[in-house]
Amino acid sequence: MKKIDLHTHSTASDGKDSPAQLVRQAKEADIAVIALTDHDTNAGIPEACEEARSHDIIVIPGCEISTRSNDNRSMHILGLWIPLDNEPLNNFFQYLNVIRERRNQRIITKLQSLGIKIDLGEVIAEADGGTIGRPHFANVLVKKGVVKDMSEAFSFYLGHTGKAYVPKEPASPATACDLLAAAGSTVILAHPFLEHSDVSWLEKQIPSLMQHGLHGLEVWHTRKDPENEAILLELAKRHDMLVSGGTDYHGANKPEISLGTGADDLDVPYSVYENLCIARKKRGLPC
Ligand code: AMP
Ligand code: FE
Ligand code: FE
Ligand code: ZN
């Protein structure tokens, strides 16, 4: 059966492989379809699509937008098949990146006030032109020997209970869904149970987000989890939603996650991709 991976990150955000490397890696891993879904940006897509031309592989242009619900829960919204020339969406990416820049400076100030010698230039260099995210701060802290690894960097400093945590997520999930849906993309709620498995909460979010254009749920994510997968499949079916799946590959920034198979032999059915395409064709949209 052909393999697919509809959630991946490159150096355009906090992944470690360039978009072209990512496409080559996917080809080597015998993956038929990948979606490039960098955080809050479409910057890696032209390079990935260009590389895909010389390999027999489909690259879906995508993104992953960080949002926060009214009741203060983090929600990541995936856009699949995003256009590159949609002005409202591109303005939104720009706005999100301005917010990130402000937050980056605040994280640096907090780390410095904790006595850590670090400056923004080091983090910018670590991100190497990509959208800066907390994993880049984490890598700098590891390189300096402040913490032993990425996980410690998040638990001591960067995670939501860390000493240098600064919230970001200026957008609501409804706004992200509105913009992505209006741009003609397929809108998927990423890893609904990553931070909690609160089914009744999710159940409440779904109808209102569907009104804002949400089409589907990411049922398969990073590692096999038959229990959560069954719950999400049932929810999707009951609400007549699409389903998607991907590894959330970040290259060496999350070495436990492999492209296509995730952390634990993840196996997203090829029919997931086929069904997403069928749904787009029904709406007269390209895929
Ligand atoms: P940001 O977009 O800057 O808020 O960073 C979010 C990214 O940080 C996520 O997409 C993950 O890649 C990463 N991340 C969040 N929490 C952790 C953690 N505890 N350990 C490692 N990486 C994490
Ligand atoms: Fe990430
Ligand atoms: Fe995410
Ligand atoms: Zn992701």
Side-chain angles (χ1 to χ4, degrees):
M1 186 48 96
K2 289 197 268 187
K3 284 192 274 182
I4 64 170
D5 190 340
L6 305 186
H7 185 160
T8 70
H9 297 269
S10 76
T11 47
S13 66
D14 58 0
K16 261 293 182 194
D17 299 343
S18 71
Q21 279 170 335
L22 182 73
V23 173
R24 287 195 293 272
Q25 291 254 68
K27 189 63 207 168
E28 275 165 34
D30 203 24
I31 297 169
V33 186
I34 62 163
L36 179 63
T37 54
D38 276 306
H39 297 287
D40 300 341
T41 184
N42 60 15
I45 290 169
E47 184 185 311
C49 290
E50 179 59 35
E51 187 66 24
R53 271 186 228 206
S54 42
H55 305 282
D56 179 24
I57 184 166
I58 293 167
V59 173
I60 299 172
C63 66
E64 179 177 23
I65 297 178
S66 305
T67 73
R68 198 160 281 278
S69 65
N70 291 338
D71 53 356
N72 211 27
R73 283 194 172 168
S74 161
M75 295 175 89
H76 288 183
I77 310 291
L78 293 168
L80 300 178
W81 289 280
I82 61 169
L84 290 181
D85 57 356
N86 183 272
E87 208 177 312
L89 192 54
N90 291 343
N91 289 341
F92 187 49
F93 288 140
Q94 244 178 35
Y95 163 69
L96 295 175
N97 279 281
V98 168
I99 301 292
R100 272 183 185 271
E101 280 165 24
R102 284 188 207 148
R103 177 224 209 186
N104 294 339
Q105 188 52 61
R106 288 178 61 203
I107 295 176
I108 288 291
T109 306
K110 281 199 171 187
L111 289 169
Q112 286 171 340
S113 73
L114 292 164
I116 297 167
K117 290 194 170 35
I118 183 169
D119 65 62
L120 190 56
E122 293 171 290
V123 185
I124 292 171
E126 178 64 32
D128 199 20
T131 297
I132 295 175
R134 286 176 290 163
H136 300 117
F137 286 87
N139 284 342
V140 173
L141 293 176
V142 173
K143 281 181 186 166
K144 287 178 174 293
V146 175
V147 289
K148 76 171 190 315
D149 55 23
M150 172 91 71
S151 157
E152 216 172 66
F154 271 87
S155 54
F156 291 178
Y157 296 107
L158 303 164
H160 64 278
T161 54
K163 289 184 208 146
Y165 178 65
V166 180
K168 162 183 49 80
E169 295 106 358
S172 71
T175 303
C177 289
D178 279 335
L179 281 160
L180 288 168
S185 68
T186 297
V187 188
I188 305 287
L189 176 61
H191 44 68
F193 291 153
L194 186 61
E195 288 180 17
H196 52 78
S197 296
D198 192 339
V199 184
S200 60
W201 176 83
L202 182 60
E203 187 95 61
K204 271 190 243 138
Q205 305 297 315
I206 287 175
S208 65
L209 287 184
M210 284 183 80
Q211 287 195 341
H212 287 276
L214 183 71
H215 300 112
L217 300 176
E218 189 176 51
V219 169
W220 297 265
H221 180 256
T222 306
R223 57 186 79 243
K224 268 202 179 116
D225 189 340
E227 202 176 313
N228 276 342
E229 285 164 19
I231 295 170
L232 290 167
L233 276 174
E234 190 279 324
L235 269 178
K237 194 169 174 193
R238 188 148 41 82
H239 291 274
D240 195 18
M241 299 176 91
L242 296 168
V243 295
S244 186
T247 61
D248 215 348
Y249 176 77
H250 282 70
N253 274 342
K254 293 193 179 180
E256 72 283 9
I257 302 174
S258 303
L259 197 55
T261 53
D264 178 24
D265 276 336
L266 192 75
D267 187 10
V268 186
Y270 187 75
S271 58
V272 163
Y273 166 69
E274 292 175 317
N275 289 334
L276 291 172
C277 281
I278 290 169
R280 287 185 65 77
K281 284 181 184 149
K282 270 193 199 152
R283 292 164 57 215
L285 295 167
C287 81

